[in-house]
Amino acid sequence: MSAARGYLLRQFDTAWALTEYHLEDLTTEECLWRPAEKGLHVRKDAGGAWRGEWPESEGYDLGPPSIAWTTWHIGFWWSMALDHAFGEGTLSHEDVVWPGEADGVRAWLDGLREDWRGRLEGLGEADLASAERTRWPFRDRPFGDVAAWVNIELMKNAAEIGYARFLYAVR
């Protein structure tokens, strides 16, 4: 195993462990709870699919997101990273739907975890140093930067879920 891949996988496993901890007994009620009147959330479309709201900008004035939105967001960026690095690169935020309930969230995110980790395990030092697969969320950087970004983004989103769960528990 290359040194870089080893560091990235161990960091990823740590980020996933925290994510898994916060998802472990998460309920659908917690997912759909809104910590404030204003904040990003998911909504059912006319066909019954749950879609994440898409902000025009990022700022504190958006308000805190719901856990449903945060888990949709994880699924969105992870699906995008996989599709753009290892697939056709055609996926967009409009294509990503939220499962609609907590058990579906766990299964969805665990499937993404398994796919991502398997892909990383198959990469060598040259793959991580190459920009060939780096098409989203940035370009012209080594693919190792994308892998490191996934680790950071996952850890950040896990912390957001945990914080929202604390708020929900004492509401």
Side-chain angles (χ1 to χ4, degrees), residues 2 5 7 10 38 42 61 80 90 97 100 104 127 130 137 139 141 146 150 153-154 164 171:
S2 76
R5 184 177 64 197
Y7 297 140
R10 286 188 297 276
K38 188 175 178 183
V42 296
D61 61 328
M80 291 286 288
T90 58
V97 296
D127 299 311
S130 170
R139 296 177 180 272
R141 288 169 55 179
V146 175
V150 164
E153 192 70 16
L154 184 60
R171 70 194 184 289

Side-chain angles (χ1 to χ4, degrees), residues 67-83 91-93 95-99 105 108-110 112-113 136 153-154 157 161:
I67 293 173
W69 188 89
T70 303
T71 57
W72 170 84
H73 185 245
I74 295 170
F76 156 71
W77 60 253
W78 221 343
S79 296
M80 291 286 288
L82 281 161
D83 179 65
L91 194 69
S92 70
H93 72 88
D95 301 319
V96 179
V97 296
W98 187 69
V105 165
W108 181 38
L109 297 183
D110 192 52
L112 290 168
R113 177 206 55 84
W136 191 92
E153 192 70 16
L154 184 60
N157 288 153
I161 293 167

Side-chain angles (χ1 to χ4, degrees), residues 2 11 18 20 27 32 38 45 54-55 73 95 104 116 118 120 124 130 137 162 168:
S2 76
Q11 185 184 53
L18 180 63
E20 196 171 39
T27 67
L32 294 173
K38 188 175 178 183
D45 66 15
W54 192 251
H73 185 245
D95 301 319
W116 182 255
L120 287 182
S130 170
Y168 180 84

Side-chain angles (χ1 to χ4, degrees), residues 37-54:
E37 288 182 32
K38 188 175 178 183
L40 295 169
H41 196 45
V42 296
R43 303 217 184 275
K44 274 190 182 180
D45 66 15
W50 290 90
R51 307 253 174 218
E53 295 176 336
W54 192 251

Side-chain angles (χ1 to χ4, degrees), residues 12-45:
F12 173 73
D13 289 342
T14 300
W16 179 253
L18 180 63
T19 305
E20 196 171 39
Y21 175 80
H22 291 310
L23 294 177
E24 187 174 324
D25 58 353
L26 179 69
T27 67
T28 302
E29 183 180 327
E30 285 175 288
C31 288
L32 294 173
W33 174 71
R34 312 254 339 236
E37 288 182 32
K38 188 175 178 183
L40 295 169
H41 196 45
V42 296
R43 303 217 184 275
K44 274 190 182 180
D45 66 15

